[in-house]
Amino acid sequence: MINILGIESSCDETSAAVIQNGKCLSNIIAEQKIHELYGGVVPELASRAHQQNIVPVVDAALKKANIDKTELSAIAFTKGPGLMGSLLVGTSFAKGFSLGLNIPLIEVNHMQAHILAHFIDKHNDSVPTFPFLCLTVSGGHTQIVLIKDYFKMEVIGETTDDAAGEAFDKAAKILGLPYPGGPLIDKYAKEGNAAAFSFPKISVPELNYSFSGLKTAFLYFIKDAIKKDANFIEKNLADICASYQKAIVTTLLIKLEKAMEQRGINQIAVAGGVSANSGLRNALLQLENTKKAKVFLPPFEYCTDNAAMIAITGYYKFLQNDFTTQRVTATARWNL
Ligand code: KG4
Ligand code: ZN
């Protein structure tokens, strides 16, 4: 029996999970509401909240899994990328716990973990087979990744400026919605007409993305509209959200389809917080109907930051005897 405790603290979610032989027994996530007041994550407040949350969250994860800490085989933690102050809390905790229990320590790349979340609780027939493409879309990243094996990943396209999640969150802020605004845009978009307004679909070379121009176009569009009608946002919120979401989703899909053609790969996975977006999920399923692509969507609870994805990555590293030492340190930047 292989029991892996996963610890995630790269941004503003403190999470701990237990994976037993690839199956998720618990996945506890403490969100930090404090950042809503500031319209974005405040790094200093995030690390303080992680310090408060980490012990109760780990305790809850072990209890829910009905596993005693002495039954753990190893501890996997997010080493990076992320906010340094936040990463340090999870890293220090994992090092201490591993030393105290005398069990191996496994370092995990957060972006790799978002992708490997597809292998949680899965049997061979319901997982993508190698090679496959993964559209990784989160608050900090937008990438098309070619996955050749569990730990052989190559970024073949990425954003040159803002991430897709940032494009959602920044537009939400312009609309006066609280942080993180992505899920709220998604919610209002469901009631709206996506053809009501038109936003530019900015194209950059190769398989890359750019979202900062879209955000600026959105800002000026709203400013102009408010000049003509002070209640423009309230009157048109659903249509604005639907149209803006459509622009992001269409942009994401254009390059993804180009990547499929270029590489001759038709298995598509999606990962990261924005993979919870219903517009994106529908567009991908559409792709499945029309393009004969096989699409893999992670369950909602494994889309946004969570420790189950860290623990499953730890599980595959455990199988390969890929351990780290007490000298390991957190790293804010870490490419795939
Ligand atoms: O992966 P994640 O939890 O954290 C990072 O590693 O960045 O992603 C968070 C991002 C935020 O920008 C959030 O607004 C976005 O994912 N997000 C969504 C939805 N749910 C989360 N964006 C659009 N629609 C959603 N339903
Ligand atoms: Zn993430």
Side-chain angles (χ1 to χ4, degrees), residues 128-159:
T129 50
F130 303 117
F132 66 94
L133 293 173
C134 186
L135 177 67
T136 307
V137 272
S138 71
H141 293 82
T142 297
Q143 300 176 327
I144 300 176
V145 187
L146 170 63
I147 293 101
K148 299 173 208 161
D149 204 345
Y150 292 109
F151 298 106
K152 278 197 199 120
M153 302 186 180
E154 184 193 340
V155 178
I156 59 171
E158 65 189 324
T159 182

Side-chain angles (χ1 to χ4, degrees), residues 246 249-250 252-253 256-257 277-290 295 297:
K246 174 94 189 296
V249 170
T250 308
L252 288 173
L253 266 283
L256 187 60
E257 289 185 56
N277 183 267
S278 48
L280 178 60
R281 293 170 89 93
N282 289 338
L284 286 165
L285 291 174
Q286 197 81 15
L287 202 66
E288 186 156 66
N289 297 336
T290 54
V295 176
L297 299 171

Side-chain angles (χ1 to χ4, degrees), residues 10-185:
S10 66
C11 190
D12 60 340
E13 265 105 16
T14 319
S15 180
V18 177
I19 291 267
Q20 183 172 74
N21 294 344
K23 193 172 174 304
C24 184
L25 299 185
S26 64
N27 184 32
I28 306 291
I29 303 168
E31 287 173 0
Q32 303 178 0
K33 290 282 168 213
I34 181 104
H35 307 290
E36 273 180 21
L37 298 172
Y38 301 91
V41 176
V42 184
E44 184 53 37
L45 295 178
S47 62
R48 277 189 232 167
H50 283 305
Q51 285 173 16
Q52 285 171 354
N53 293 343
I54 188 105
V55 172
V57 163
V58 168
D59 197 40
L62 289 171
K63 283 211 174 89
K64 173 125 194 263
N66 203 16
I67 290 273
D68 188 77
K69 59 182 186 302
T70 56
E71 295 173 86
L72 291 172
S73 314
I75 296 172
F77 68 98
T78 307
K79 171 182 150 98
L83 299 170
M84 191 43 122
S86 292
L87 290 165
L88 278 172
V89 178
T91 304
S92 311
F93 180 89
K95 285 166 78 172
F97 218 52
S98 134
L99 194 64
L101 294 170
N102 195 23
I103 53 172
L105 189 59
I106 301 170
E107 61 178 42
V108 171
N109 179 306
H110 180 89
M111 298 314 294
Q112 215 164 46
H114 267 302
I115 296 170
L116 295 180
H118 281 276
F119 294 90
I120 301 170
D121 288 342
K122 289 292 171 68
H123 307 289
N124 289 339
D125 55 349
S126 61
V127 290
T129 50
F130 303 117
F132 66 94
L133 293 173
C134 186
L135 177 67
T136 307
V137 272
S138 71
H141 293 82
T142 297
Q143 300 176 327
I144 300 176
V145 187
L146 170 63
I147 293 101
K148 299 173 208 161
D149 204 345
Y150 292 109
F151 298 106
K152 278 197 199 120
M153 302 186 180
E154 184 193 340
V155 178
I156 59 171
E158 65 189 324
T159 182
T160 52
D161 43 56
D162 290 353
E166 256 178 301
F168 273 109
D169 296 338
K170 287 180 176 171
K173 197 169 178 181
I174 293 166
L175 294 173
L177 301 172
Y179 177 85
L184 291 168
I185 293 202

Side-chain angles (χ1 to χ4, degrees), residues 226-267:
I226 288 179
K227 263 189 222 148
K228 289 174 203 141
D229 176 359
N231 298 320
F232 176 78
I233 294 178
E234 293 77 55
K235 285 184 196 159
N236 299 282
L237 187 59
D239 286 351
I240 298 169
C241 290
S243 305
Y244 184 75
Q245 177 170 295
K246 174 94 189 296
I248 294 180
V249 170
T250 308
T251 306
L252 288 173
L253 266 283
I254 288 171
K255 293 298 172 81
L256 187 60
E257 289 185 56
K258 190 171 169 185
M260 285 170 62
E261 271 163 36
Q262 269 186 16
R263 302 282 169 155
I265 294 177
N266 73 344
Q267 286 193 92

